[in-house]
Amino acid sequence: MKVAFACDHAGFALKEAVIAHLKEMGHEVVDFGCYTPERVDYPAQGEKAARAVASGECALGVLICGTGIGISLAANRVHGIRAAVCSESYSAELTRRHNDANMIAFGARVVGEGTACAILDAFFGAKFEGGRHAQRVAMLDEIRP
């Protein structure tokens, strides 16, 4: 699966481990930066990856900033994106199963490498259940900024 990845400077230190884990899982990663630990603005990074997911260029996306919150807010401004911030595996699994989230975000200042990889395993291992959840996801998709 083709996966969009983006981070800001706060997420840069965790970037290599996350991308390596995604590749070990068999995914192709499209890296939208950042590419150095120099300060960058998370809205620009989050938007790039979100547009790749929204357009269908990438199937899912992974976002990292200090808390995961800012970069997920930027991604969620792109129509068709459902980015969820998760700090543990259970929420990561349920956001795929119930919300059909197409991007996962977490904070490099909140989770370590092991937890980040466990979050990825849960998120990418889960599938949307549809059923009663499909109507709610459709309602989310109708909301426009």
Side-chain angles (χ1 to χ4, degrees):
M1 174 186 311
K2 202 171 192 181
V3 178
F5 175 86
C7 68
D8 71 356
H9 56 282
F12 185 76
L14 191 53
K15 174 182 178 173
E16 294 299 321
V18 166
I19 289 178
H21 190 71
L22 288 167
K23 289 180 177 178
E24 287 170 10
M25 295 169 73
H27 301 297
E28 176 185 348
V29 178
V30 180
D31 184 358
F32 291 94
C34 67
Y35 307 109
T36 72
E38 300 301 313
R39 191 185 85 73
V40 296
D41 297 317
Y42 60 79
Q45 306 312 120
E47 180 185 5
K48 290 175 194 174
R51 291 207 182 280
V53 173
S55 73
E57 175 188 345
C58 295
L60 295 173
V62 176
L63 305 166
I64 310 173
C65 68
T67 62
I69 296 168
I71 201 164
S72 72
L73 291 172
N76 279 319
R77 298 290 296 165
V78 175
H79 183 69
I81 294 301
R82 292 175 304 281
V85 180
C86 296
S87 298
E88 37 67 36
S89 301
Y90 182 70
S91 296
E93 176 186 344
L94 286 185
T95 199
R96 285 286 296 140
R97 288 177 43 202
H98 293 185
N99 309 119
D100 200 19
N102 48 17
M103 300 189 87
I104 187 83
F106 44 85
R109 295 177 181 145
V110 178
V111 303
E113 183 178 321
T115 301
C117 291
I119 289 168
L120 293 174
D121 291 342
F123 184 76
F124 283 89
K127 302 289 183 233
F128 181 52
E129 291 178 2
R132 71 183 196 275
H133 305 293
Q135 178 184 351
R136 296 173 187 142
V137 171
M139 292 170 70
L140 288 172
D141 285 343
E142 289 176 14
I143 300 171
R144 298 198 185 253

